[in-house]
Amino acid sequence: MALYLVAFAAGVLSVLSPCILPVLPFVFARQGQPSRHGSLPLLIGMALAFAATASLAAAAGSWAVQLSQFGRGLALLALGVFAASLMLPGLAAWWSRPLVQIGEKLAAQQIQRRWLHSALLGVATGLIWSPCAGPVLGLLLSGAALAGPDTATSALLLSYAAGAGLALWAALRISAGTLARLRAHWLPGERGRRFAGAAMLAAVLAVSTGLDSRLLAQSGGWAGLGSNGLESSLLQAAMPSAQAAERAGNTPAPVGDSAPYTSPLPVESTRPSLEGGTQWLNAEPQSIPALRGKVVLVNFWTYSCVNCLRTLPYVKAWAQKYADSGLVVVGVHAPEFAFEKDRRHVEKALQQLNISYPVVQDNGFRIWRAFNNQYWPALYLVDAQGRVRHHQFGEGGYAATERALNELLREAQAPSTATAPAPNANTVPDTQGLGMAADTASLRSPELYLGYDKGGSLRLAGRPAPDKAANYQPASLRLNTWTLQGNWTLMPEWVQANEAGGRLALRFEARDANLVLGAAGAGPLRFRLTIDGQPPGIHHGSDVDAQGYGQVDATRLYQLVRQQGAVKQRTLEIEFLDAGAQGYAFTFG
């Protein structure tokens, strides 16, 4: 229920986004008509179109996004016709004649025509607005794309659209008196209608020519920072986060404390499955029925995810410590980026991370869906009878997970020849490097995607040009924004430096700054990093030396900065000394 309320509230906040500005003339054009003929059908049509377009994108992937853009073009054409109709009554009479004839057969002509006009205008407006997706809508679409669309996702999208519609309705009601006075004194009769038509037509031209995007890029960046920041805060407040899990679940219990749980571990699911994986690594294919009698720890992860990498030391330590007590660990590698689907990349990561337990590539997310999972990382404990009895979403909760693991091993009554686990003994693994827990007290930067599918906070002196090489000049940076300099190509998942000397800069506040990097061709590719214009010195990460030099030798997560001492805001700049470097996402800790 909480997520539905978050989606609704985020929809309300989306009215504050700068990208709503081109929509307002279309909405206010219905001002002055009765609600049941003007604003109500418009807002219903807009919300339905908004939710339908987003649902289509969630269900069908990239081709649906292209279809959405095609629909957006048709919507702009329709809105242009609406605008011209306000200015030219003859045109309105001509195109609406067939609709009027249909309306005469269904209901009273005038009521039907006004209602239908407003509803069609709302549908077109929804198609224009739908690309303005904030963090909450992005989360819903990502979840639907991974787990498959369902009624819950559609309901969440409708909640988001309903919130947006309510906010616009409130704006209409609040401004009714002001618009009425303006119309009475300055825009009476025919002149007011033509002024509304001109405003709508200007908005259509601004959207179709990209003028609105250029203005927003020059004033605030790539994805609109205003409402997105509010939405992100709302989402973090309402949903369990990895940081909260770290604080609440990583308090170790006293060694030897054998106090049992106040209630038995509940049965969370009786249908876990490891079937449907793409490829098994480190072992022959495993299955839950074949592992009956064993306790199975299933770890959903992906090798470029910093949260997953910070969990791995515990998972590896448990695999070694409890192997003789009846524990089997299975890693389910569910890729976030396309490069993580490549078996060669995963095998190389397993070697570098020293992972020897069975890992299955779940490129089709079939195992992910069987567990109804939604998180990276996620841990599930399956008992000796094949039932899920405990889970942990996100980082943290290590002590609680290990206590549950001990309890399930005792339930399984391991053979006397096996080494019995010490009750509630807490494992203390080596968590240096990328495995070190995040410094949540100083963490002020969220994950930042660089590809335009989920990217945000890019600041440039000009307008971005997706999918083609272009020269860019940087703009001034604010906290949690980034910029480019040189010749780059902006792609759905990454940005690519096309020439040596390309620069990528970021303003952040965190102890650690990491970046998922790859190469377009054969590597390694060299780069040099500065912090506030100086070599990093003692603040360098594990993939950079004190002078700031590093190289891209594989597509993976690179630790660039680990601040020593007090953490403060920093500007990180990377100069790529060779062409072809690809940046995917910044993460922090």
Side-chain angles (χ1 to χ4, degrees):
M1 187 56 160
L3 188 53
Y4 290 97
L5 296 175
V6 170
F8 181 84
V12 172
L13 291 175
S14 68
V15 77
L16 303 177
S17 172
C19 64
I20 191 58
L21 296 178
V23 171
L24 293 179
F26 315 138
V27 177
F28 289 130
R30 299 287 95 183
Q31 185 62 261
Q33 299 186 16
S35 294
R36 64 181 183 277
H37 300 152
S39 59
L40 181 60
L42 180 139
L43 294 174
I44 291 175
M46 184 197 70
L48 290 177
F50 186 84
T53 301
S55 298
L56 180 63
S62 59
W63 72 268
V65 176
Q66 297 173 0
L67 182 61
S68 173
Q69 294 301 316
F70 176 73
R72 188 171 186 260
L74 291 180
L76 285 170
L77 178 62
L79 291 172
V81 172
F82 277 115
S85 299
L86 287 173
M87 302 172 67
L88 303 171
L91 176 62
W94 174 76
W95 72 260
S96 62
R97 189 173 297 114
L99 298 177
V100 172
Q101 292 173 352
I102 295 174
E104 287 175 343
K105 297 178 182 180
L106 298 176
Q109 175 182 343
Q110 294 302 318
I111 294 177
Q112 181 71 17
R113 184 173 66 174
R114 288 197 299 268
W115 200 98
L116 189 57
H117 284 187
S118 296
L120 290 175
L121 180 60
V123 169
T125 303
L127 289 172
I128 292 296
W129 194 2
S130 60
C132 295
V136 172
L137 186 59
L139 173 68
L140 301 182
L141 295 180
S142 297
L146 293 174
D150 53 23
T151 54
T153 301
S154 298
L156 287 170
L157 290 168
L158 281 173
S159 297
Y160 190 98
L166 176 64
L168 280 178
W169 176 84
L172 279 170
R173 294 300 95 196
I174 293 172
S175 62
T178 302
L179 289 177
R181 289 191 295 273
L182 179 64
R183 185 182 296 112
H185 292 284
W186 297 100
L187 301 171
E190 187 70 17
R191 185 168 58 175
R193 188 180 66 182
R194 291 186 176 182
F195 179 84
M200 287 179 64
L201 191 58
V204 169
L205 292 175
V207 174
S208 60
T209 60
L211 177 61
D212 61 325
S213 298
R214 288 195 294 273
L215 293 175
L216 290 176
Q218 293 171 2
S219 64
W222 177 237
L225 301 175
S227 66
N228 281 3
L230 292 172
E231 289 184 38
S232 297
S233 300
L234 179 66
L235 186 62
Q236 292 170 6
M239 296 185 64
S241 67
Q243 297 174 23
E246 185 71 37
R247 290 192 295 270
N250 201 23
T251 303
V255 175
D257 181 2
S258 58
Y261 286 100
T262 55
S263 62
L265 291 171
V267 175
E268 299 179 1
S269 171
T270 59
R271 301 177 61 185
S273 173
L274 296 175
E275 304 297 327
T278 310
Q279 183 71 45
W280 281 86
L281 307 173
N282 291 345
E284 294 299 315
Q286 308 286 305
S287 70
I288 297 297
L291 294 171
R292 287 290 180 94
K294 301 282 189 179
V295 174
V296 184
L297 171 61
V298 180
N299 175 29
F300 285 90
W301 72 298
T302 186
Y303 79 83
S304 74
C305 163
V306 69
N307 309 91
C308 303
L309 295 177
R310 290 198 284 252
T311 302
L312 271 180
Y314 291 87
V315 176
K316 292 192 296 181
W318 293 332
Q320 181 177 4
K321 178 178 180 179
Y322 296 110
D324 294 335
S325 301
L327 175 68
V328 174
V329 174
V330 175
V332 180
H333 188 271
E336 183 177 12
F337 298 108
F339 68 81
E340 294 173 312
K341 297 180 180 181
D342 192 315
R343 173 178 177 169
R344 296 168 301 174
H345 292 168
V346 179
E347 287 179 328
K348 186 173 183 179
L350 296 183
Q351 293 175 358
Q352 293 176 335
L353 296 168
N354 195 28
I355 294 175
S356 58
Y357 54 76
V359 172
V360 57
Q361 290 184 258
D362 190 25
N363 291 351
F365 287 85
R366 294 180 63 181
I367 302 174
W368 179 288
R369 288 194 292 271
F371 276 79
N372 195 27
N373 186 50
Q374 300 182 48
Y375 300 92
W376 287 287
L379 302 178
Y380 294 87
L381 285 177
V382 181
D383 67 13
Q385 299 180 50
R387 305 171 301 179
V388 176
R389 300 284 298 282
H390 179 81
H391 70 268
Q392 168 64 36
F393 298 146
E395 297 176 61
Y398 304 120
T401 298
E402 190 165 7
R403 289 197 300 272
L405 193 160
N406 274 270
E407 181 169 324
L408 294 181
L409 288 173
R410 289 194 293 270
E411 278 187 11
Q413 297 179 347
S416 58
T417 56
T419 303
N424 293 334
N426 293 310
T427 301
V428 183
D430 180 7
T431 55
Q432 298 303 306
L434 285 170
M436 183 178 289
D439 181 4
T440 57
S442 63
L443 185 58
R444 300 290 182 272
S445 293
E447 184 172 14
L448 296 175
Y449 291 92
L450 306 187
Y452 63 74
D453 262 1
K454 293 189 285 186
S457 305
L458 172 62
R459 291 179 57 79
L460 295 170
R463 182 187 178 191
D467 300 313
K468 62 182 180 181
N471 291 312
Y472 294 109
Q473 291 298 319
S476 60
L477 291 176
R478 298 194 293 264
L479 180 62
N480 300 328
T481 63
W482 55 283
T483 190
L484 299 171
Q485 183 175 355
N487 191 275
W488 291 79
T489 300
L490 308 183
M491 299 298 290
E493 284 196 346
W494 70 83
V495 296
Q496 178 176 311
N498 299 317
E499 299 174 351
R503 294 172 182 264
L504 169 62
L506 163 78
R507 186 74 173 170
F508 74 100
E509 185 174 355
R511 183 196 66 202
D512 299 344
N514 315 298
L515 176 60
V516 179
L517 282 169
L525 303 180
R526 301 166 301 152
F527 65 86
R528 185 182 183 188
L529 175 147
T530 60
I531 301 176
D532 297 332
Q534 301 297 321
I538 62 172
H539 304 296
H540 71 90
S542 58
D543 290 296
V544 178
D545 64 21
Q547 295 302 311
Y549 288 99
Q551 63 180 18
V552 182
D553 54 15
T555 307
R556 61 179 177 87
L557 185 73
Y558 292 77
Q559 187 186 78
L560 304 178
V561 175
R562 171 156 287 172
Q563 293 195 59
Q564 304 298 318
V567 173
K568 61 181 181 180
Q569 287 191 26
R570 301 278 196 170
T571 297
L572 175 158
E573 183 175 78
I574 308 170
E575 179 184 6
F576 293 97
L577 305 178
D578 299 300
Q582 296 174 336
Y584 288 81
F586 282 106
T587 59
F588 306 92

